[in-house]
Amino acid sequence: MLIVMNPDATEPDIQRVVETIESLGFRAHPMPGSNRTAIGLTGNQGAVDPAPFAELPGVAECVRVTKPYKLVGRDLKHDKTVIRVGEAEIGGDGFAMIAGVCAVESREQAMLTAEVVAEMGCKWFRGGAFKPRTSPYAFQGLAEEGLKILSDVRDEFGLRIVTEAVDEPALDLTEKYADVIQIGTRNMQNFSLLRRAGQARKPVLLKRGMSSTLEEFLLAAEYIMSEGNYQVILCERGVRTFGDHSRFTPDLSVIPAAQRLSHLPIIFDPSHSTGNRETVIPMARAAVAVGADGLLVDVHPYPERALCDGPQALLFDMFRDLVAQARAIAEIVKQHSEAYSLGAVVK
Ligand code: PEP
Ligand code: MN
């Protein structure tokens, strides 16, 4: 259920609803919006009787949410969620470019890459310190040493750090060093890890499971939010199909579909979805055109020697080119969506 407050409801009114929800053994999730606050109620197994809330001061209405997810949906929060870390944003007016190395391999490799990312005016740096590898013999990441290098990247260039936690011990560590905790495709339904991410007080970048439906994807985000962490960024990274011309099949159609159902921002990873640097830029362009809130891109100073995912890493000049193209397309998309939202006639 969700309890919609009147636009002029006061903080004590909201607090009273929260306390009433908690006194019944449920969990309250207040979501302030631009016009009014709505309070999500979770923890119930069946329908909840609205009577204890309906008469409380400031309550406009109690609405039953019929969708399986409650907190990620637009019913509870119509305004888009914007993730902010310092000056860096995802889901706001600007377009977010999260770029960097697949795996942090050395200080030199991370710093050289970060320099180019910062030079292009991007605000976010990606880099894995814990790598989920298909083979147990492949390079697994530098672990805490990699996190320290990422922390130095932040100090040196002011970039905000996105890095993956592959399990709970890794999450404990990444929470200390990262600005955004990434949950990879293979862990999208690792429910204990999702709950742990929900207890973290840092934003979580959740990648879509490579064979999951949109509903499963949104329910994975719901796991995180149900623990009280509302700062979730969705990321499409390709799904498994019979197509064998590309590492995975980028499902760009999920971007507008997710935006219609959810207030959470959604970005696209053209690197892991295509697996091939030659197709990264065309697919990234397409994702910006369908309205993605950002991109997550692998770049490498010498990809032929990369310890992980070299074939998909952009060379520095390709990355510079991609940033320019993505910005130009994002600007056009923004102008047109403003035209739509103002009700203007689009010719
Ligand atoms: C990654 O972004 O480094 C990664 C491992 O991606 P995915 O989980 O999408 O395979
Ligand atoms: Mn990778």
Side-chain angles (χ1 to χ4, degrees):
M1 188 162 71
L2 82 95
I3 296 151
V4 182
M5 303 301 290
N6 283 319
D8 57 0
T10 62
E11 212 30 66
D13 293 341
I14 294 168
Q15 204 41 45
R16 192 163 309 115
V17 174
V18 168
E19 280 159 18
T20 310
I21 293 173
E22 287 169 353
S23 71
L24 294 165
F26 304 128
R27 187 157 184 163
H29 305 267
M31 298 276 167
S34 51
N35 293 325
R36 42 91 171 153
T37 291
I39 303 166
L41 179 155
T42 61
N44 53 307
Q45 293 301 333
V48 176
D49 178 8
F53 314 104
E55 299 303 319
L56 291 177
V59 172
E61 56 174 337
C62 301
V63 184
R64 258 197 85 193
V65 183
T66 49
K67 297 201 178 70
Y69 43 84
K70 319 284 175 200
L71 307 174
V72 304
R74 292 256 186 197
D75 293 344
L76 178 62
K77 182 171 181 279
H78 192 264
D79 307 331
K80 240 177 118 169
T81 291
V82 182
I83 307 298
R84 286 194 185 87
V85 181
E87 307 259 282
E89 271 187 10
I90 304 173
D93 274 349
F95 178 80
M97 177 66 83
I98 308 172
V101 292
C102 171
V104 177
E105 299 167 11
S106 68
R107 179 171 298 273
E108 189 216 14
Q109 171 245 20
M111 289 291 171
L112 284 173
T113 310
E115 194 177 353
V116 177
V117 173
E119 160 207 308
M120 290 309 292
C122 304
K123 303 268 190 297
W124 302 92
F125 188 77
R126 63 148 291 150
F130 296 94
K131 295 306 301 176
R133 302 305 301 275
T134 302
S135 164
Y137 309 118
F139 175 62
Q140 306 282 313
L142 297 179
E144 190 163 9
E145 190 194 333
L147 293 174
K148 288 187 177 148
I149 294 173
L150 289 169
S151 211
D152 293 345
V153 163
R154 176 175 40 226
D155 293 346
E156 178 87 19
F157 298 101
L159 295 166
R160 298 295 172 170
I161 304 300
V162 179
T163 190
E164 178 167 355
V166 288
D167 52 25
E168 274 120 308
L171 204 147
D172 293 342
L173 272 177
T174 48
E175 192 181 9
K176 282 204 265 169
Y177 291 94
D179 294 301
V180 171
I181 301 162
Q182 179 172 321
I183 304 282
T185 189
R186 294 159 186 84
N187 270 320
M188 192 208 80
Q189 287 193 317
N190 179 340
F191 300 119
S192 57
L193 187 63
L194 295 176
R195 282 199 194 281
R196 172 66 188 84
Q199 286 147 16
R201 286 300 163 260
K202 297 244 165 115
V204 177
L205 191 153
L206 176 67
K207 292 191 127 188
R208 179 182 179 188
M210 62 180 83
S211 57
S212 67
T213 63
L214 174 55
E215 186 167 296
E216 289 161 346
F217 191 15
L218 295 177
L219 281 168
E222 184 84 10
Y223 261 92
I224 300 168
M225 294 185 73
S226 70
E227 293 292 321
N229 186 349
Y230 308 127
Q231 299 206 287
V232 180
I233 305 132
L234 304 171
C235 178
E236 162 61 23
R237 49 80 68 213
V239 289
R240 270 272 150 81
T241 67
F242 50 80
D244 60 1
H245 56 283
S246 137
R247 190 175 176 189
F248 293 91
T249 299
D251 177 14
L252 297 181
S253 70
V254 85
I255 294 169
Q259 287 169 335
R260 191 167 55 80
L261 296 175
S262 175
H263 52 84
L264 297 174
I266 180 163
I267 66 167
F268 174 59
D269 177 344
S271 308
H272 289 84
S273 51
T274 65
N276 170 0
R277 82 173 58 84
E278 300 307 324
T279 38
V280 164
I281 295 181
M283 291 315 296
R285 279 199 300 251
V288 184
V290 299
D293 295 295
L295 292 171
L296 179 72
V297 181
D298 284 5
V299 187
H300 202 292
Y302 27 84
E304 66 294 346
R305 280 193 275 141
L307 297 179
C308 186
D309 288 349
Q312 71 195 30
L314 294 180
L315 303 165
F316 287 169
D317 276 345
M318 294 175 92
F319 172 65
R320 291 186 182 101
D321 196 18
L322 169 62
V323 174
Q325 294 191 39
R327 284 194 181 134
I329 299 169
E331 192 48 45
I332 295 170
V333 172
K334 193 173 144 210
Q335 282 167 15
H336 284 267
S337 40
E338 273 165 12
Y340 275 116
S341 63
L342 292 171
V345 180
V346 180
K347 296 196 183 90

